[in-house]
Structures are given as C-alpha cells and as structure tokens.
Amino acid sequence: MPFQSHIALQTAVADSIALGQAAKLAKANSNMAIVPKVSTIPSDVPGADYIYVVSVRTGTQPDAGTASVVGMMITGSEGRTAMVTLNPAGLILARGGDTYHIMTTPASIGELQSVQVWHDSSGKGAMESLFIDNVKVWDVQTSQGFSFPCYSWLSSRKGDGRTIRTLQAADGEKR
C-alpha cells in the first residue's frame, strides 16, 4: 500500500472512531449534539464574500472534546476577522477529530499571522476542557494554507489552567 494511501486510511479510521465515540456520548445524553464535520459560520456583514476554511483538530486524550462554547478570531497583516463561534449552542466538538468551518469576511485580512481561540467553560464535568492539536486556515482565493500548532489544553482544570490561547503561524508551514 502506498504511504499516502496508508495515511489516508489511518485518518479515515481515526475519524470514524472519534465520530463513533461522540455519537455514543450524544446518544447517552440526548440533549447534546455534535458539531458537523463541515459547517458554515454565518457572517454579520452583508456582502462578505472573501472565503477562509478553518480546520480544527482536537486531541485524542481522554476528555479532549468539549461542550463549552468555542470562539475564534484570525489576525492577518491587513486586519482581523470578527470573533466567531465554532460550535453554536454548545454543540460537542468531538475528541480526536477534524472539523472544518467555512467563514467569510468583507475582504482579505492579508498574510495570516495568528489565531486566537478560547472557550467559555460552559461544558459540564469532563466536557468543560478542550485539547487542540492544531488549527489550519486556508485562504481560498490565494490557495494559501497556514498552520497554527497548539498541542495544549484550553481548560480551567487541566494543563496550565488557561482557556484562551493565541496561536502563531508555524514557520515554513505556509503552503
């Protein structure tokens, strides 16, 4: 099996397992729903048609997913996005998976520099914390992608106790 096919198979299996675990959790607690694999973040600005795709990869550690409301803002060399919510109404951001969020802005914010991500600690018990492996952002118009490594907890009870992080673009990760 070619190397890339093997990686694709491993990723598909990991995504299936993570979605299965999140589905079991949601079924056990019927008032919870899961963030879809792909979602659109509505814009409050009429005519906002500059498109970014944001990928959030959560960790596989126990309790790495969250029901807390997760927010984000992207900063570039020419401006920043509005603060947006990745999981409205506290939908579960599942452990060990990738979610893709399509967002629009009125214009380019330039070369991407940082992503600020946070949560409000509204998830109960084990669903309060969030572990983020990385965030990736693609500028659809320029076909450039930027990687923002995190590998940290956003949690008042785990890691360093911080629920907000500013992630810097990785050197050499621009594609």
Side-chain angles (χ1 to χ4, degrees):
M1 175 180 287
F3 181 69
Q4 287 185 341
S5 296
H6 185 64
I7 291 174
L9 178 62
Q10 285 179 327
T11 301
V13 169
D15 285 349
S16 296
I17 291 169
L19 285 174
Q21 290 169 338
K24 283 182 194 173
L25 179 62
K27 190 173 184 180
N29 193 346
S30 60
N31 63 346
M32 295 181 139
I34 302 164
V35 172
K37 291 291 268 180
V38 178
S39 66
T40 302
I41 299 171
S43 175
D44 292 334
V45 180
D49 58 2
Y50 199 93
I51 303 169
Y52 293 97
V53 176
V54 178
S55 166
V56 178
R57 174 168 284 174
T58 57
T60 57
Q61 298 83 340
D63 305 331
T66 193
S68 296
V69 175
V70 179
M72 180 190 73
M73 181 174 61
I74 305 167
T75 300
S77 59
E78 298 176 29
R80 63 179 177 221
T81 66
M83 293 182 284
V84 297
T85 301
L86 299 179
N87 60 337
L91 295 174
I92 296 171
L93 203 57
R95 166 180 93 117
D98 293 307
T99 54
Y100 297 88
H101 310 271
I102 302 165
M103 64 184 297
T104 58
T105 60
S108 170
I109 59 170
E111 181 124 347
L112 304 186
Q113 299 171 339
S114 66
V115 170
Q116 189 173 58
V117 63
W118 63 90
H119 73 72
D120 67 357
S121 299
S122 61
K124 303 295 181 218
M127 295 303 290
E128 179 267 340
S129 301
L130 173 64
F131 190 95
I132 296 180
D133 281 345
N134 62 64
V135 175
K136 293 183 179 176
V137 182
W138 289 271
D139 180 327
V140 173
Q141 289 70 212
T142 64
S143 300
Q144 289 183 316
F146 299 82
S147 181
F148 300 89
C150 182
Y151 306 109
S152 300
W153 286 101
L154 278 74
S155 174
S156 60
R157 298 179 296 146
K158 296 183 184 230
D160 62 7
R162 293 173 39 206
T163 59
I164 185 169
R165 302 232 177 244
T166 300
L167 314 177
Q168 300 300 317
D171 289 336
E173 288 292 324
K174 186 173 128 184
R175 299 184 200 278

